[in-house]
Amino acid sequence: AQTVTQSQPEMSVQEAETVTLSCTYDTSESNYYLFWYKQPPSRQMILVIRQEAYKQQNATENRFSVNFQKAAKSFSLKISDSQLGDTAMYFCAFMKHADKLIFGTGTRLQVFP
Amino acid sequence: DSGVTQTPKHLITATGQRVTLRCSPRSGDLSVYWYQQSLDQGLQFLIQYYNGEERAKGNILERFSAQQFPDLHSELNLSSLELGDSALYFCASSVGTSGYLDTQYFGPGTRLTVL
């Protein structure tokens, strides 16, 4: 069975600084997808970024980028130029083809002015 | 706005009662997923439907059931409610095929409170 581990329950960063959230996963699959979702105080689940396991190039979306290390089964999220609006719970998630999402326990990120 | 709608936003009911949560997927999405988010269990997959057919089941209680209708909207029925069923229930939808497009987009959730 697949598992997703987020070892940082809480993190904080100052506005405009860079922060990295960690995620590791365990799977015997070779083809899969990894995601970061953001859950702000509104509780809405918002897709931040996604990575296909067969792609070696790390995904980027504006200020958000990932460091995907397939052999190490690591999938960290880097947020550059942090903004107050980035304050949220961040969930790492694993998915096989057209299958359910398996979530980590989340990292609560607080951005300070 | 993800394009996925859920109603109602909030639901307060008593133990032993039955409720129905409704979800409309994004236009063009055939797959609907239901997830439960509670404080002690985190985000847990309940059930998946694809084009009207049940595709996968997770940790869904026997008191819970779901269906997907011909217009692709889905309903999650929760019966004989217990205090522990209080949670945020999310619906997510995706195209339902493998590949780049198979990303799940979430609705705003239904907050269920059982008193």
Side-chain angles (χ1 to χ4, degrees):
Chain A
Q2 290 80 21
T3 58
V4 178
T5 301
Q6 293 180 252
S7 58
Q8 305 154 317
E10 294 185 357
M11 292 195 72
S12 62
V13 64
Q14 198 154 24
E15 208 174 1
E17 296 297 307
T18 295
V19 64
T20 298
L21 309 184
S22 301
C23 173
T24 58
Y25 59 94
D26 189 24
T27 184
S28 57
E29 303 285 332
S30 56
N31 291 322
Y32 50 86
Y33 306 88
L34 296 163
F35 303 85
W36 281 96
Y37 284 88
K38 166 185 175 180
Q39 188 176 39
S42 66
R43 307 306 298 274
Q44 172 79 50
M45 291 289 288
I46 302 166
L47 176 68
V48 175
I49 199 165
R50 61 189 157 206
Q51 174 81 41
E52 292 90 342
Y54 61 85
K55 288 188 176 179
Q56 291 187 334
Q57 186 174 8
N58 289 324
T60 62
E61 288 286 344
N62 301 313
R63 299 182 295 106
F64 299 88
S65 62
V66 298
N67 183 5
F68 173 48
Q69 301 288 328
K70 191 172 184 179
K73 295 179 183 175
S74 170
F75 183 61
S76 61
L77 174 70
K78 185 171 83 170
I79 306 174
S80 304
D81 186 25
S82 296
Q83 300 176 0
L84 296 178
D86 295 333
T87 292
M89 194 77 163
Y90 287 81
F91 291 97
C92 177
F94 170 99
M95 189 186 80
K96 295 189 296 183
H97 293 311
D99 200 11
K100 62 184 179 292
L101 287 163
I102 298 171
F103 289 93
T105 50
T107 296
R108 187 176 303 279
L109 177 67
Q110 179 73 49
V111 181
F112 291 97
Chain B
D1 185 359
S2 67
V4 180
T5 61
Q6 287 187 250
T7 56
K9 287 188 178 178
H10 302 279
L11 205 47
I12 301 174
T13 188
T15 54
Q17 295 298 304
R18 172 189 169 95
V19 297
T20 297
L21 282 53
R22 182 187 169 105
C23 168
S24 292
R26 296 187 317 155
S27 177
D29 284 358
L30 299 178
S31 206
V32 169
Y33 301 78
W34 286 97
Y35 294 89
Q36 179 194 58
Q37 185 177 31
S38 59
L39 284 174
D40 55 345
Q41 295 291 325
L43 273 156
Q44 299 279 323
F45 166 71
L46 294 177
I47 197 164
Q48 177 198 2
Y49 279 83
Y50 177 78
N51 203 20
E53 298 291 326
E54 181 184 303
R55 177 173 267 189
K57 256 186 177 179
N59 298 324
I60 187 166
L61 300 171
E62 285 190 11
R63 301 183 285 108
F64 295 1
S65 64
Q67 54 184 324
Q68 186 179 27
F69 294 87
D71 67 352
L72 301 178
H73 91 270
S74 178
E75 293 181 357
L76 178 67
N77 300 296
L78 315 177
S79 62
S80 302
L81 285 167
E82 302 175 0
L83 296 177
D85 298 328
S86 295
L88 188 54
Y89 291 85
F90 284 109
C91 165
S93 76
S94 73
V95 173
T97 60
S98 61
Y100 182 78
L101 291 177
D102 193 28
T103 295
Q104 294 180 33
Y105 293 91
F106 283 73
T110 293
R111 177 169 294 285
L112 173 66
T113 302
V114 182
L115 300 176

